[in-house]
Amino acid sequence: MLKGKSLIDPMDFSKEELEEIFALADKIIENPREYAHAADGKILATLFYEPSTRTRFSFEAAMLRLGGKVIGFSEPNSTSVSKGETIADTIRIVSCYADIVAMRHPKEGAPKIASMYSEIPVINAGDGGHQHPTQTLTDLLTISKIKGKLSNLTIGMCGDLKFGRTVHSLIKALSRYENNKIILISPDELKVPDYIKKGILDKNNIEYEEVKRIEDVIESLDVLYMTRVQKERFFNEEDYIRLKDSYILDKNKLSKAKDDMIILHPLPRVNEISYDIDSDKRACYFKQAKFGMYVRMALMAKLMGVL
Ligand code: NCD
């Protein structure tokens, strides 16, 4: 039963529950008009304490397409947060007004705290460098729609694997599917944190490899997941400037890739993927964004218990 649950960490739902969400997302994709009034009268509150365009719009569009309405902020300085209100109090109040909350916060764990004080489901829309479970739902749905499976894949994750929360969540989620091999491509300074390596990859006996160059591994990949160097999480600008252009996927590097490899990116892209790749049939990042909206429709409908 998904009704009434919160989604804070990608492991909060069982594989079966994920399947339930994906199955509904599939139906919505096939016939979106049938769901245009599924959430009539419901209200989503988007509490965004950190900048976002895509994720917030994706949640909002998802709720509007279900027939619901949206309240919220994307500029915490214009709210009582700037007067010193705690997350616990904010969420207690929002619980009185809305039916479901999507929260993004720069501090790891903030949405978890919110869910402990909330009367309504809380969805973590990204907490600091920690987790981003709805991006993971998006990524899993995209991979399964295009590759037809979530197991027996070689998946390369490239870029800022240290601060990239989408990568942390995706690794967690993929660790539950069989026989996947994960190739982590990053400079030394931006490697996946130990709590993911030891706590997820080693613990679940997932085959993985850490490399520095895309060129050395691209031919073996079924999925290449590119990420942006997370500027906002760096402590000093020099490090960011030194590392920001570590990877740029261009036609030359892509020439060695399999014909049916897919390129994903949670977006926004800075310059990790050269623009002339966009027209390559392997570039799936814009499709991925669209799947993200559908999967959020399915997720919210299930958590609110309207479908
Ligand atoms: C990601 C995020 O916010 O972590 N973006 C998103 O939600 N689509 C990735 C990023 O900002 O690099």
Side-chain angles (χ1 to χ4, degrees):
M1 262 294 264
L2 284 160
K3 185 178 176 190
K5 282 197 176 178
S6 287
L7 174 60
I8 305 300
D9 182 281
M11 306 302 249
D12 286 348
F13 297 166
S14 65
K15 270 168 81 173
E16 292 67 34
E17 286 172 325
L18 291 185
E19 279 312 315
E20 205 183 315
I21 294 168
F22 296 149
L24 177 57
D26 257 344
K27 287 198 206 154
I28 298 174
I29 291 168
E30 263 159 45
N31 194 358
R33 295 185 68 175
E34 199 180 304
Y35 299 89
H37 295 286
D40 273 356
K42 298 288 184 192
I43 295 181
L44 161 71
T46 52
L47 312 185
F48 276 61
Y49 294 79
E50 196 186 67
S52 159
T53 333
R54 204 161 339 264
T55 304
R56 185 167 56 86
F57 285 175
S58 173
F59 271 107
E60 295 188 359
M63 189 48 141
L64 296 172
R65 282 174 185 268
L66 286 171
K69 296 199 163 54
V70 182
I71 56 173
F73 60 80
S74 53
E75 193 31 84
N77 292 336
S78 67
T79 69
S80 291
V81 171
S82 63
K83 299 181 193 161
E85 188 174 53
T86 61
I87 288 189
D89 278 0
T90 303
I91 202 77
R92 280 187 182 117
I93 297 304
V94 172
S95 293
C96 303
Y97 305 151
D99 300 284
I100 191 162
V101 169
M103 176 190 267
R104 169 168 287 194
H105 204 286
K107 287 213 178 83
E108 283 85 0
K112 172 85 195 158
I113 304 277
S115 71
M116 289 159 56
Y117 291 92
S118 180
E119 302 287 327
I120 56 177
V122 175
I123 302 173
N124 176 6
D127 61 329
H130 191 215
Q131 300 291 331
H132 193 345
T134 61
Q135 182 63 46
T136 300
L137 294 184
T138 304
D139 301 339
L140 294 181
L141 180 67
T142 309
I143 296 171
S144 83
K145 292 287 279 178
I146 305 177
K147 301 299 291 182
K149 57 183 180 183
L150 288 169
S151 45
N152 301 309
L153 293 166
T154 301
I155 299 146
M157 302 188 186
C158 176
D160 187 345
L161 310 186
K162 179 178 181 187
F163 297 115
R165 55 195 173 194
T166 64
V167 166
H168 305 161
S169 287
L170 185 55
I171 292 176
K172 271 189 159 183
L174 283 170
S175 73
R176 298 203 287 197
Y177 296 88
E178 274 158 45
N179 205 24
N180 287 319
K181 178 170 181 194
I182 297 185
I183 304 194
L184 303 166
I185 311 158
S186 77
D188 277 336
E189 295 90 331
L190 298 178
K191 282 184 170 174
V192 163
D194 264 2
Y195 84 92
I196 298 281
K197 244 186 274 178
K198 298 210 170 76
I200 305 291
L201 292 168
D202 290 341
K203 195 169 156 209
N204 294 294
N205 280 323
I206 311 292
E207 193 182 343
Y208 74 95
E209 206 181 313
E210 292 185 286
V211 301
K212 291 201 183 73
R213 285 161 38 99
I214 308 186
E215 302 85 303
D216 295 345
V217 292
I218 196 162
E219 52 198 316
S220 68
L221 303 180
D222 301 305
V223 177
L224 173 57
Y225 193 89
M226 295 296 293
T227 63
R228 157 184 86 86
V229 176
Q230 306 280 299
K231 183 178 183 193
E232 64 278 32
R233 317 234 181 266
F234 275 75
F235 295 110
N236 79 62
E237 196 165 352
E238 269 164 46
D239 285 349
Y240 172 70
I241 291 169
R242 183 167 49 81
L243 292 167
K244 74 180 171 57
D245 295 328
S246 298
Y247 300 103
I248 298 173
L249 182 64
D250 56 18
K251 282 206 158 145
N252 189 26
K253 290 193 186 104
L254 194 58
S255 65
K256 286 209 271 164
K258 288 184 193 168
D259 198 44
D260 64 350
M261 185 190 79
I262 59 170
I263 308 163
L264 302 183
H265 192 310
L267 303 174
R269 131 173 81 181
V270 182
N271 59 355
E272 317 70 56
I273 301 178
S274 134
Y275 283 87
D276 57 8
I277 305 278
D278 294 357
S279 54
D280 192 290
K281 74 172 176 25
R282 288 166 287 194
C284 295
Y285 27 94
F286 296 119
K287 267 191 214 160
Q288 185 184 359
K290 193 152 192 185
F291 285 134
M293 181 186 70
Y294 289 122
V295 90
R296 288 183 175 98
M297 287 173 77
L299 171 69
M300 289 193 288
K302 287 284 175 195
L303 300 186
M304 292 188 297
V306 296
L307 284 173

